[in-house]
Amino acid sequence: MHVIHRRGWEIPEHRATPEGVFLNRRALLSASAGLAAATLLPGIATAQRVTDIPDPTKDLYPAKRNEKYGLDGRPITPEEINGNYNNFYEFGSSKNVTKAAQALKIRPWMVKIDGMVEKPFEIAIDDLIRKMPLEERLYRHRCVEAWSMTIPWSGFQMSHLMALAKPTSSAKYVVMQTFQDNSAPGFRQSWYPWPYTEGLTIEEANNELTFLVTGMYGKPALKQMGAPLRLAVPWKYGFKSVKSIVRFNFTDQRPKTFWEGLQAAEYGFWANVNPEVPHPRWSQATEEDIGTKERRPTVKFNGYGEYVADLYKGMEKTERLWV
């Protein structure tokens, strides 16, 4: 009879780890580490899970396109270009802020509505989004630096938020502020007047073009582009389109906005696009399309004059509408 004497390191084949489990050992190790973190540091583990969960409103996209707001023949800027060419000073002064902006924690996210309203309140971003009639609009976006893009924004007309906020008849302006926490390195630059603050008149806020953005390119908003809630006012220079909004404050006093506080001679409250009014350091007569690299003539109000010109009638002699 042949007797098999197993060596000490040998094990029966049926006790070997299955190949699939072996190949997924990294996932098992990560899960084990996560369990340990949850046991030892439950606060950190919970925060990590909240950050990593899929967007709770993902099912709402893509939103139906509103064909009323079309482009003038130029193509939509590709997402890979748009998503990697952004001004977001909370995460750096260069255009390459995509990687840094991923530190932004967009859930949980509360939006405060206060000031001259019938009843101040706070609302979670997901509750707010689900209350609103989402749609997609194609807008031209013109930066004060004389470059432009075309973007498929998803979101809702700001007038719907105004109806929810119920400002009193005394309110003349709505002031918007962005987040402020330690996840963004820009806040260490104390010479900036944080938090980023922008404002519109009540009439501008109620204009049909004024849009609160929750997504783009058929999905929830990218962090570097102002998730989870930003403004789009396409007839104004891009710095007016405040990102990552946490507060809407209604007041009868015109606010001093972020860039106005830094350099009022170059960046005023109104900031309407006008090719005939140069920036103090460059011409605004033309713009470079970031997607195509073509140079295009700039159009007054960025081509949206039929919607907004009446807002400023009679103000040209008393206000610096184009700075």
Side-chain angles (χ1 to χ4, degrees):
M1 182 175 71
H2 180 61
V3 179
I4 298 176
H5 296 282
R6 294 188 183 278
R7 297 175 178 84
W9 50 266
E10 291 183 299
I11 61 172
E13 184 176 343
H14 72 274
R15 292 182 60 193
T17 301
E19 181 181 10
V21 174
F22 171 76
L23 293 175
N24 285 290
R25 63 196 184 280
R26 292 183 182 275
L28 289 172
L29 288 170
S30 297
S32 299
L35 180 61
T39 302
L40 298 174
L41 298 167
I44 293 176
T46 300
Q48 185 64 40
R49 288 197 298 271
V50 169
T51 302
D52 292 343
I53 62 173
D55 190 302
T57 63
K58 187 177 180 181
D59 61 296
L60 300 176
Y61 304 91
K64 184 178 179 180
R65 180 173 295 176
N66 188 333
E67 299 293 347
K68 179 179 180 180
Y69 306 100
L71 302 176
D72 55 356
R74 69 184 75 184
I76 293 173
T77 303
E79 182 180 5
E80 59 269 24
I81 294 176
N82 197 344
N84 290 283
Y85 195 87
N86 308 102
N87 285 323
F88 205 161
Y89 279 76
E90 287 83 349
F91 292 101
S93 57
S94 75
K95 297 293 188 292
N96 185 20
V97 296
T98 300
K99 183 176 180 180
Q102 302 318 301
L104 178 62
K105 297 177 176 64
I106 58 174
R107 295 297 188 284
W109 190 277
M110 298 298 294
V111 177
K112 177 185 289 187
I113 295 176
D114 63 2
M116 292 179 169
V117 294
E118 288 186 8
K119 185 178 181 180
F121 63 93
E122 286 190 318
I123 185 170
I125 185 63
D126 299 318
D127 295 334
L128 176 62
I129 291 173
R130 290 191 179 276
K131 281 180 177 288
M132 297 295 155
L134 296 192
E135 59 180 285
E136 182 181 79
R137 295 185 180 185
L138 303 181
Y139 275 175
R140 297 181 292 278
H141 179 82
R142 174 61 156 83
C143 182
V144 74
E145 298 167 343
W147 55 262
S148 63
M149 294 184 179
T150 53
I151 307 171
W153 297 121
S154 298
F156 54 92
Q157 202 165 294
M158 189 170 174
S159 60
H160 295 298
L161 180 122
M162 302 290 282
L164 182 68
K166 297 180 180 177
T168 67
S169 59
S170 299
K172 296 180 180 179
Y173 303 92
V174 55
V175 184
M176 291 153 282
Q177 290 183 328
T178 192
F179 77 102
Q180 188 169 1
D181 64 41
N182 293 331
S183 69
F187 293 124
R188 294 195 290 269
Q189 298 174 325
S190 59
W191 56 89
Y192 285 122
W194 303 116
Y196 198 106
T197 299
E198 261 304 336
L200 299 172
T201 66
I202 295 296
E203 293 76 19
E204 288 177 319
N206 274 317
N207 184 272
E208 66 174 281
L209 281 187
T210 307
F211 203 59
L212 287 171
V213 173
T214 62
M216 62 273 301
Y217 295 95
K219 55 192 175 185
L222 301 172
K223 292 182 178 182
Q224 65 269 27
M225 293 179 71
L229 185 68
R230 67 166 289 169
L231 180 68
V233 276
W235 72 95
K236 294 179 178 287
Y237 291 118
F239 67 85
K240 292 290 293 186
S241 295
V242 56
K243 296 180 174 181
S244 302
I245 302 169
V246 297
R247 184 185 181 193
F248 296 86
N249 176 260
F250 292 83
T251 177
D252 58 0
Q253 301 297 311
R254 188 157 95 184
K256 178 167 285 189
T257 57
F258 182 84
W259 285 104
E260 187 182 15
L262 282 170
Q263 184 53 271
E266 298 185 8
Y267 310 104
F269 175 82
W270 299 104
N272 296 315
V273 176
N274 190 335
E276 298 175 3
V277 180
H279 184 279
R281 289 177 282 129
W282 56 79
S283 170
Q284 296 287 18
T286 63
E287 62 199 58
E288 180 182 343
D289 186 307
I290 293 299
T292 65
K293 301 301 181 184
E294 294 179 4
R295 205 82 206 169
R296 296 176 178 270
T298 299
V299 181
K300 191 175 182 179
F301 291 117
N302 202 22
Y304 294 102
E306 63 179 300
Y307 297 99
V308 300
D310 285 347
L311 292 172
Y312 310 103
K313 278 189 175 179
M315 297 173 59
E316 293 87 349
K317 294 182 180 180
T318 60
E319 296 283 350
R320 298 166 69 240
L321 297 173
W322 319 108
V323 178

